[in-house]
Amino acid sequence: MKVAIVENENQLQDAYSVRKKVFVVEQHVPPEIEIDDLENEATHFVVYDENESPVGAGRFRVVEDYGKVERVCILQSFRGHGVGREIMNKIEEFALDQNIHLIKLNAQTHAEPFYLSLGYTTYSDEFFEAGIPHVSMKKEL
Ligand code: COA
């Protein structure tokens, strides 16, 4: 597995292709919500397997004095093998390079244990976003 920071249109489309498979097809998020007007200001990440196929994605934005991680997803058949951890490590490394020492994210509640295992803590009650229950989580880097 290789986590790439998106640098060209092909890589961006690879990231979108994973996001669409996971969020639109699997989780039924409307496509007009999945791809939003913040894509241009975000740094995108894409994970490739050994055949150079995209299998994971996520994005990172600087908001005020912290970094916001969004749209983290791994294709179903690649889950549970540490790929999610790999992309999160790469995003955190990138944040530190930008001198960002606080990460916040809104986690789907089923993914809360995933982020807890990476050192994030929950700081909100449950709320709904795109019809899916979420909690807000953060981590000091
Ligand atoms: N419940 C409990 N623990 C979980 C978990 C779950 N659903 N998913 C992952 N973990 C734990 C793993 O056990 C592992 O911990 P360990 O090192 O102690 O064994 C750690 O989290 C890392 O897991 P990893 O294999 O890297 O996770 P993954 O590649 O399966 O990716 C998601 C996790 C959430 C990104 C992936 O399940 C996914 O894409 N889900 C669908 C999209 C989605 O809902 N994204 C979240 C949006 S907020």
Side-chain angles (χ1 to χ4, degrees):
M1 296 291 162
K2 178 176 176 286
V3 185
I5 299 175
V6 167
E7 285 174 349
N8 58 50
E9 186 59 27
N10 280 346
Q11 290 174 323
L12 183 62
Q13 292 308 321
D14 285 343
Y16 286 167
S17 76
V18 178
R19 287 171 44 180
K20 282 179 192 153
K21 280 180 191 156
V22 174
F23 293 117
V24 178
V25 177
E26 185 186 333
Q27 297 190 349
H28 310 294
V29 173
E32 63 276 13
I33 290 183
E34 210 312 282
I35 305 292
D36 66 13
D37 55 5
L38 300 169
E39 307 297 350
N40 283 342
E41 67 178 67
T43 301
H44 296 268
F45 295 77
V46 59
V47 189
Y48 292 101
D49 70 3
E50 55 282 358
N51 302 315
E52 297 294 318
S53 289
V55 301
R59 78 180 190 192
F60 173 88
R61 289 187 297 126
V62 177
V63 180
E64 297 158 6
D65 58 344
Y66 63 89
K68 188 146 190 226
V69 174
E70 296 164 311
R71 307 298 198 271
V72 172
C73 56
I74 305 299
L75 291 184
Q76 212 160 22
S77 56
F78 289 85
R79 289 179 200 154
H81 296 99
V83 187
R85 175 197 306 281
E86 268 189 66
I87 191 169
M88 287 302 297
N89 285 345
K90 184 81 172 186
I91 293 173
E92 289 176 5
E93 212 175 273
F94 178 82
L96 279 174
D97 284 347
Q98 315 289 306
N99 212 21
I100 297 285
H101 293 266
L102 175 64
I103 302 267
K104 293 184 180 179
L105 55 84
N106 293 333
Q108 296 186 15
T109 51
H110 74 83
E112 191 180 4
F114 165 69
Y115 292 112
L116 286 171
S117 82
L118 300 179
Y120 288 77
T121 55
T122 304
Y123 68 95
S124 80
D125 291 332
E126 193 173 302
F127 61 93
F128 280 80
E129 213 174 66
I132 298 171
H134 283 76
V135 287
S136 296
M137 304 184 77
K138 64 181 177 181
K139 179 179 178 180
E140 298 270 359
L141 300 179

